[in-house]
Amino acid sequence: MSTTPEADARDLFARLTGAEPEGVWSSPGRANLIGEHTDYNDGFVLPFAIEHRTHAALGLRGDGRIRVASTFDDAVAEVALADLDRLFPDRRGDVPEWATYPLGVAWALLRTTGLAPAAVTGVDLAIASDVPVGAGLSSSAAIEGAVASALNETWDLGLDRVELAQAGRRAENEAVGAPTGIMDQMASMLGQPDAAIFLDCRTLDANVVDLGFARAGLELVVIDTRVKHSHATGGYGERRAACELGARTLGVPALRDLSLDDLPRAEQLLDETTFRRVRHVVTENQRVLDTVRTLREDGPRAIGELLVASHASMRDDFEISVPELDTAVEAALAAGAIGARMTGGGFGGAAIALVARADVARVTDAAAAAFQAAGFRTPHVFTVTPSAGARRDG
Ligand code: GLA
């Protein structure tokens, strides 16, 4: 029997509480078309929401506590709202890791609004998702968006979508402890069908950019390498620190403030590795701007080279690719993809390929064959459709 994440969230809620939820809210995962590791450098990104969503069914409780359960982890977590401040950030290990996302959102919303825990009602939340976890498609932002939307309405906070995205990022940075930027939360909150969100991560100005994939007969293929990554540890934070060092050394508030013309000076002042990190961010920002212009002027079939150049920059300058991602990109291009690149934070996760509808099967088979030949696990290959952002479903 096939079920939907909304039905799964309702079922789980019924099993948890024996009652019907007050409402169900959902928010999508995202794929990033281009603009990687530019968000925390105050730069530009061009992500889109995908049709895979996380649903949160919410019910009220009279005892000032918050309980969270999910279909992707058996561990249920429950805590008094008044104790969230004791939990985050120092005692986050007291709850299961997955629960730090929804509980972190509740904490961030209370912090952001300055409301006392006693001023809001306790809640039960049952969460179900079909966003692949660890695939670089932002299952975390999908949880944050669904829970933030549910609590915003239930607690009558009156926050707008950008403020909810900011609360989600705060949860991720401070409660979960992953030093990520704002791209994923903004994409999940603001997504639109067949469009990407062109976001200036300094001003948070967001413009909807028509992608026109459907009209052009194109599909966006995701090749999930099944190499799991985590941004709370390791490489992500190191890259971020290198970018901050680069900006400090060059005397700018953020790498966003550099252009291609600044690169010769950067090369003189920075050590070789830091220079390559900086060069990735500066050239990637330019590629986002070029992609937006190309989409508007020439349509989606013309952006292939920009996607390929982005991947090369992440592989060679930013060094966040892995052999599985490189193999996915090469196999897709060899099988006729218009463009391909890894998407998301890197060190695993997924690649995306822009492919003519007639070539999808060929690209899918080519990726599987290349992985088998290299001795990698079989990749998950599927198409995604640019879709709507967070909403109330029932
Ligand atoms: C992760 C982070 C985002 C962004 C990307 C890289 O998805 O959550 O904020 O930094 O990596 O572009």
Side-chain angles (χ1 to χ4, degrees):
M1 193 182 74
S2 80
T3 60
T4 64
E6 180 179 348
D8 290 348
R10 288 181 180 277
D11 282 356
L12 179 64
F13 189 88
R15 270 183 277 134
L16 190 70
T17 66
E20 290 278 308
E22 289 287 315
V24 181
W25 289 258
S26 70
S27 203
R30 65 98 190 93
N32 189 17
L33 190 59
I34 196 160
E36 223 64 85
H37 287 261
T38 45
D39 60 353
Y40 55 79
N41 289 301
D42 276 3
F44 304 108
V45 293
L46 191 63
F48 60 90
I50 59 177
E51 68 270 43
H52 302 77
R53 302 180 76 84
T54 297
H55 286 73
L58 177 148
L60 308 180
R61 350 182 358 144
D63 60 1
R65 297 175 73 79
I66 177 168
R67 178 168 53 159
V68 293
S70 77
T71 53
F72 42 85
D73 194 308
D74 287 339
V76 174
E78 184 179 328
V79 55
L81 289 168
D83 285 339
L84 287 173
D85 251 343
R86 272 196 283 281
L87 195 60
F88 297 125
D90 296 337
R91 300 182 60 99
R92 65 168 73 98
D94 289 359
V95 291
E97 206 246 335
W98 82 267
T100 56
Y101 292 88
L103 294 177
V105 168
W107 171 80
L109 287 171
L110 291 175
R111 277 292 179 106
T112 299
T113 56
L115 279 175
V120 297
T121 177
V123 291
D124 284 316
L125 283 161
I127 298 168
S129 182
D130 65 359
V131 185
V133 173
L137 298 175
S138 236
S139 54
S140 52
I143 297 178
E144 290 153 8
V147 172
S149 302
L151 292 178
N152 187 41
E153 204 172 318
T154 305
W155 288 348
D156 207 10
L157 302 177
L159 300 176
D160 64 26
R161 285 176 182 259
V162 173
E163 290 168 320
L164 294 179
Q166 286 171 314
R169 182 197 183 180
R170 184 169 187 182
E172 188 137 351
N173 289 173
E174 297 177 36
V176 177
T180 54
I182 189 98
M183 166 171 73
D184 305 344
Q185 293 79 11
M186 289 290 277
S188 189
M189 291 306 307
L190 300 177
Q192 301 266 343
D194 211 21
I197 304 301
F198 172 40
L199 178 68
D200 179 332
C201 297
R202 171 168 281 166
T203 62
L204 296 188
D205 275 349
N207 282 288
V208 176
V209 176
D210 185 23
L211 287 172
F213 290 166
R215 267 196 320 281
L218 299 180
E219 296 281 353
L220 211 290
V221 176
V222 171
I223 304 165
D224 175 6
T225 64
R226 301 169 71 200
V227 178
K228 300 280 180 225
H229 68 288
S230 159
H231 297 325
T233 50
Y236 187 96
E238 283 167 26
R239 295 303 182 279
R240 192 172 171 149
C243 292
E244 283 161 8
L245 172 66
R248 249 194 335 273
T249 310
L250 294 164
V252 288
L255 294 184
R256 148 70 177 276
D257 299 297
L258 300 176
S259 70
L260 299 177
D261 294 342
D262 292 309
L263 288 177
R265 186 173 71 95
E267 189 165 20
Q268 285 185 340
L269 291 177
L270 300 173
D271 67 83
E272 199 262 338
T273 302
T274 309
F275 170 65
R276 284 188 292 113
R277 305 298 188 245
V278 168
R279 182 166 62 185
H280 164 70
V281 174
V282 172
T283 57
E284 185 79 349
N285 272 327
Q286 187 59 48
R287 281 186 288 271
V288 176
L289 300 175
D290 292 346
T291 302
V292 171
R293 186 175 33 77
T294 304
L295 280 168
R296 286 180 175 146
E297 290 175 4
D298 305 313
R301 284 183 178 264
I303 66 170
E305 277 177 25
L306 289 160
L307 302 183
V308 174
S310 169
H311 185 77
S313 179
M314 289 189 283
R315 182 191 59 212
D316 301 337
D317 274 356
F318 219 58
E319 295 182 283
I320 54 171
S321 190
V322 294
E324 288 84 347
L325 287 166
D326 295 338
T327 298
V329 167
E330 283 155 24
L333 292 173
I338 289 166
R341 60 185 285 279
M342 53 151 280
T343 189
F347 306 103
I352 53 170
L354 189 58
V355 178
R357 201 166 291 138
D359 292 334
V360 170
R362 194 140 56 100
V363 167
T364 304
D365 293 346
F371 271 52
Q372 193 178 26
F376 302 149
R377 292 176 75 191
T378 310
H380 286 156
V381 187
F382 49 94
T383 58
V384 289
T385 310
S387 299
R391 63 176 180 233
R392 181 169 184 163
D393 293 289

